[in-house]
Amino acid sequence: MLDFQCKSSTTINGFEIKAYDVDPKFDDALKNLLKNKIQKIKLYDIEKYSDYLPADTTPEYREAFKKKLLSIAVPDNHKINWFNVKRTITTEFMSQLLLENNFNCIFHEEVDKRINVDPVMLDKQPAGIDVVGIQKEQNELKFVVCEVKASGDSKIPCNSSEGLLKDINNALDNRKRVEKEIFQYMGNLNSSDNETIKNIIHFLSNLLMTDKTENKIYESIVFYPFLIRNNERILNENNLNDFKDFDKEKLGDINLSGIIWSFNEDIDNFCINLYNEAIEEL
């Protein structure tokens, strides 16, 4: 279990903003949890494809077949690290870890866009919201909308702050964008005989039917704009101004909490190398 520590908290323009870090003694645990999420991507369940081979297939051919499939299932490196899919996937899984640990969020694997990606879409940035899930606090459910950016920018606010605000505005200005995510989430959940899942599906179906004129749908949605930052000034100076342009008067009376993960390490190298390690361990 990771210990995410809230090192700084403030209110900016009506919204609560928090900055977290992880004690270095948990570095190995962090890497293992992230590698576990990467290895759960269904494309990497290579063994199941052995069933397609004839019974008399030699062990050598089976091993070569496995290596070939695995080579296809690894995202290509991009010449610009910012657009490297390995980086994007890892940062989104990082956001899930913190939200799971500290904000009572649940991310169902059968719905996760990254875990269920198909080979054709592997090298593309998926459409829609970065990370969606369910928050359960006591008996209350909310739909989670999390947009994720990562930056090593020395400036505060960083260049990614503007894009993060734009992503949140896109969800607020285009209700159908959020409804599509809810529809997909509801449709991909495996209800079986699980009462908890059935309650979530019931919650989501009711959410889709809320009155459009009053935008009540947003009362049951929680927004988490999420920044992973390599900038020591954030905690050293207690400076959370990456969120200075997030304003409740402009965005409205919505459930929004800004999160900064103060991650004082080269984010690009960490994410890409970790992804490669996860694949090598399969």
Side-chain angles (χ1 to χ4, degrees), residues 12-47:
I12 297 178
N13 300 324
F15 291 124
E16 185 179 50
I17 312 298
K18 293 184 176 183
Y20 293 83
D21 73 358
V22 177
D23 191 302
K25 69 182 180 182
F26 292 103
D27 282 354
D28 288 341
L30 170 62
K31 290 178 181 179
N32 288 335
L33 285 168
L34 287 171
K35 286 193 282 189
N36 182 256
K37 280 185 175 281
I38 292 166
Q39 290 165 352
K40 284 183 178 179
I41 293 173
K42 289 184 179 178
L43 286 177
Y44 302 141
D45 185 13
I46 301 297
E47 294 298 334

Side-chain angles (χ1 to χ4, degrees), residues 33-276:
L33 285 168
L34 287 171
K35 286 193 282 189
N36 182 256
K37 280 185 175 281
I38 292 166
Q39 290 165 352
K40 284 183 178 179
I41 293 173
K42 289 184 179 178
L43 286 177
Y44 302 141
D45 185 13
I46 301 297
E47 294 298 334
K48 69 179 181 181
Y49 294 101
S50 296
D51 295 340
Y52 301 153
L53 299 174
D56 60 351
T57 302
T58 65
E60 293 78 13
Y61 188 92
R62 287 182 183 275
E63 185 62 25
F65 183 64
K66 175 183 175 180
K67 288 181 179 178
K68 177 61 178 178
L69 293 183
L70 198 55
S71 70
I72 296 170
V74 176
D76 292 333
N77 287 320
H78 198 285
K79 61 182 179 181
I80 302 173
N81 282 337
W82 180 270
F83 299 111
N84 195 311
V85 172
K86 296 174 184 176
R87 176 189 190 271
T88 305
I89 291 174
T90 306
T91 55
E92 290 177 6
F93 284 158
M94 289 171 73
S95 74
Q96 289 183 6
L97 286 180
L98 195 153
L99 291 172
E100 286 168 339
N101 275 269
N102 290 59
F103 290 86
N104 297 309
C105 293
I106 306 165
F107 303 101
H108 297 88
E109 291 179 11
E110 66 265 35
V111 182
D112 193 293
K113 297 176 187 177
R114 295 300 186 179
I115 287 178
N116 296 284
V117 68
D118 62 59
V120 175
M121 297 299 295
L122 181 64
D123 292 306
K124 301 181 184 297
Q125 304 290 348
I129 294 162
D130 289 339
V131 176
V132 292
I134 300 294
Q135 183 185 67
K136 185 177 182 182
E137 291 187 327
Q138 297 178 345
N139 293 322
E140 184 180 14
L141 297 177
K142 280 188 168 63
F143 188 67
V144 173
V145 169
C146 176
E147 297 286 6
V148 184
K149 302 287 185 190
S151 171
D153 197 339
S154 61
K155 296 184 300 181
I156 301 176
C158 63
N159 291 331
S160 296
S161 297
E162 183 180 351
L164 194 61
L165 178 57
K166 182 179 178 181
D167 287 342
I168 297 299
N169 271 314
N170 285 342
L172 292 171
D173 294 341
N174 184 356
R175 172 178 167 137
K176 202 167 186 178
R177 175 181 172 87
V178 179
E179 289 178 331
K180 288 178 180 178
E181 298 283 353
I182 296 170
F183 184 16
Q184 178 171 282
Y185 204 99
M186 180 178 66
N188 289 343
L189 276 175
N190 181 12
S191 60
S192 61
D193 292 322
N194 188 311
E195 277 305 312
T196 300
I197 299 298
K198 287 181 178 179
N199 289 337
I200 291 172
I201 292 173
H202 182 65
F203 159 72
L204 294 174
S205 63
N206 285 339
L207 195 53
L208 288 176
M209 294 301 292
T210 54
D211 191 332
K212 287 187 178 182
T213 58
E214 298 181 19
N215 268 340
K216 285 193 173 182
I217 190 171
Y218 295 113
E219 294 177 5
S220 296
I221 295 174
V222 57
F223 293 89
Y224 289 115
F226 198 109
L227 274 171
I228 302 169
R229 294 285 273 121
N230 179 12
N231 187 330
E232 294 184 354
R233 288 177 53 208
I234 290 169
L235 295 186
N236 289 343
E237 301 174 10
N238 197 31
N239 188 338
L240 308 188
N241 282 325
D242 278 325
F243 284 94
K244 77 177 185 65
D245 292 328
F246 285 71
D247 192 329
K248 183 163 274 193
E249 287 190 7
K250 296 177 181 177
L251 292 173
D253 189 20
I254 58 172
N255 304 303
L256 183 147
S257 295
I259 298 174
I260 298 173
W261 182 341
S262 181
F263 189 81
N264 295 321
E265 188 173 340
D266 186 294
I267 298 167
D268 296 347
N269 288 337
F270 174 83
C271 292
I272 295 168
N273 292 339
L274 185 82
Y275 198 104
N276 290 336

